[in-house]
Amino acid sequence: MAHPISAFQAAYISIEVLIALVSVPGNILVIWAVKMNQALRDATFCFIVSLAVADVAVGALVIPLAIIINIGPQTEFYTCLMVACPVLILTESSILALLAIAVDRYLRVKIPVRYKSMVTPRRAAVAIACCWIVSFLVGLTPMFGWNNLNKMRRTQELNGSQTEFVITCQFETVISMEYMVYFNFFVWVLPPLLLMLLIYLEVFNLIRKQLNKKVSSSSNDPQKYYGKELKIAKSLALVLFLFALSWLPLHVLNCITLFCPSCQTPHILTYIAIFLTHGNSAMNPIVYAFRIKKFRTAFLQIWNQYFCCKTTKNATSTTTAETGN
């Protein structure tokens, strides 16, 4: 029989639903903007679409699954593991998409003349496919055996329980903290974040050198190119900063759980960390809208073409019909 939902759980579910209602439409709008606007068809924006797809999936899939885990249903071990793994897949996909974006920006400023011949749409598509394949392999590693099944079986044997192996489905119950810290964080989260930090520092360094060089030679076209690159790089670096800010607290809490088992982490901190990770999926469309002119133009175009004008036309048609009657 299901346990009644507490007031705290109801508040948690309400916040998660609110995040999902912002994240899903916002990121669908990003994908829509790239699809309809030719100016958003280069490799960088293809990687941004990959990131937006992951963010849509967070709102549409991960958040509902997180709500289920929070309620704590009684399930079989591997059923619970399947519910817990999608967030791992999508987190890794987001990190690799951000890394691809950083590398792409670096190539644009390092080899601007040869960039288009090197970064073709086909190569960008292959890179995106590789990112998703790696994400599935990393995220599904617990399904291949690196999980808490043996630990739980030993506990059951020590307790002398002979009942059917059914558990209360919680993330930490099935996902190994050794996997989360040593493999997920120390291999697939922290090194890519540090690498991206170095790449963006080098991008800004290259752009500033070029801008200083072009100012002295009074060449307008390169000045305009690198000025535009600087603005976009700042916006995408902000996306990376928000991602790190959103995800590092939860990973730090995982490290505390593993390295200091006796330490009691307040539940409210865990919930705040979870809200930050999910809320990150809603942040990116806001950054694009306010920081990248091409996206802002595309968003306004979609609004005017499909929503604003349609409402105006419907109102005008209704008024005309009433006047005719």
Side-chain angles (χ1 to χ4, degrees):
M1 185 175 175
H3 296 288
I5 295 173
S6 66
F8 188 84
Q9 282 180 316
Y12 165 79
I13 292 169
S14 299
I15 295 170
E16 289 281 39
V17 169
L18 182 62
I19 292 171
L21 290 175
V22 174
S23 176
V24 174
N27 285 287
I28 288 174
L29 189 62
V30 170
I31 298 166
W32 192 354
V34 174
K35 184 178 184 301
M36 70 173 291
N37 195 327
Q38 285 293 129
L40 296 172
R41 293 290 178 85
D42 65 16
T44 301
F45 296 108
C46 291
F47 296 130
I48 286 176
V49 166
S50 180
L51 181 60
V53 169
D55 287 338
V56 168
V58 168
L61 177 65
V62 168
I63 287 179
L65 294 179
I67 291 170
I68 291 171
I69 286 179
N70 182 261
I71 294 170
Q74 298 292 308
T75 67
E76 292 181 355
F77 184 89
Y78 276 99
T79 302
C80 184
L81 201 57
M82 287 176 65
V83 171
C85 281
V87 68
L88 303 174
I89 296 168
L90 296 171
T91 304
E92 192 55 40
S93 172
S94 297
I95 290 170
L96 293 178
L98 288 168
L99 181 57
I101 290 168
V103 171
D104 178 72
R105 300 325 292 184
Y106 173 76
L107 293 174
R108 285 184 74 94
V109 298
K110 183 69 175 177
I111 50 167
V113 177
R114 291 186 292 130
Y115 171 79
K116 286 192 176 179
S117 62
M118 283 193 64
V119 185
T120 61
R122 181 182 176 83
R123 286 175 180 170
V126 169
I128 290 169
C130 288
C131 288
W132 278 97
I133 290 168
V134 171
S135 301
F136 272 93
L137 291 174
V138 172
L140 291 177
T141 297
M143 294 293 293
F144 304 143
W146 197 345
N147 54 52
N148 287 337
L149 180 59
N150 290 333
K151 187 191 294 185
M152 295 195 70
R153 278 180 174 159
R154 283 195 297 270
T155 304
Q156 189 182 36
E157 287 169 5
L158 288 172
N159 293 337
S161 175
Q162 301 297 322
T163 58
E164 188 181 352
F165 195 61
V166 175
I167 62 167
T168 300
C169 186
Q170 299 286 344
F171 187 85
E172 290 184 22
T173 305
V174 293
I175 299 293
S176 163
M177 273 300 123
E178 286 82 2
Y179 161 82
M180 285 302 299
V181 173
Y182 292 126
F183 186 68
N184 190 279
F185 183 47
F186 286 167
V187 176
W188 291 104
V189 174
L190 195 57
L193 286 177
L194 292 174
L195 179 58
M196 283 183 267
L197 174 62
L198 293 174
I199 290 172
Y200 275 111
L201 287 174
E202 181 61 17
V203 166
F204 291 133
N205 183 45
L206 287 170
I207 290 173
R208 292 190 191 282
K209 279 183 180 178
Q210 292 296 329
L211 285 174
N212 291 336
K213 197 185 298 182
K214 301 309 172 186
V215 167
S216 60
S217 63
S218 67
S219 176
N220 289 327
D221 286 341
Q223 176 90 1
K224 186 177 178 182
Y225 176 82
Y226 285 105
K228 184 179 71 173
E229 286 301 317
L230 180 61
K231 287 180 182 177
I232 295 177
K234 282 181 178 178
S235 301
L236 296 173
L238 176 60
V239 171
L240 171 62
F241 172 75
L242 290 173
F243 183 90
L245 192 68
S246 299
W247 279 95
L248 286 178
L250 187 61
H251 284 290
V252 169
L253 291 177
N254 288 339
C255 290
I256 293 170
T257 301
L258 179 64
F259 298 128
C260 183
S262 60
C263 297
Q264 294 294 320
T265 305
H267 285 299
I268 190 66
L269 287 182
T270 304
Y271 278 105
I272 289 170
I274 290 170
F275 289 142
L276 279 173
T277 61
H278 295 168
N280 179 252
S281 299
M283 295 176 192
N284 293 342
I286 298 169
V287 173
Y288 303 149
F290 282 97
R291 300 275 310 182
I292 301 178
K293 187 178 179 181
K294 286 181 181 178
F295 268 116
R296 191 162 58 249
T297 303
F299 291 162
L300 288 171
Q301 186 182 347
I302 290 169
W303 172 256
N304 290 331
Q305 187 173 341
Y306 294 96
F307 299 101
C308 181
C309 291
K310 188 175 268 191
T311 306
T312 307
K313 284 177 184 175
N314 289 340
T316 305
S317 299
T318 305
T319 307
T320 305
E322 288 174 354
T323 306
N325 291 336

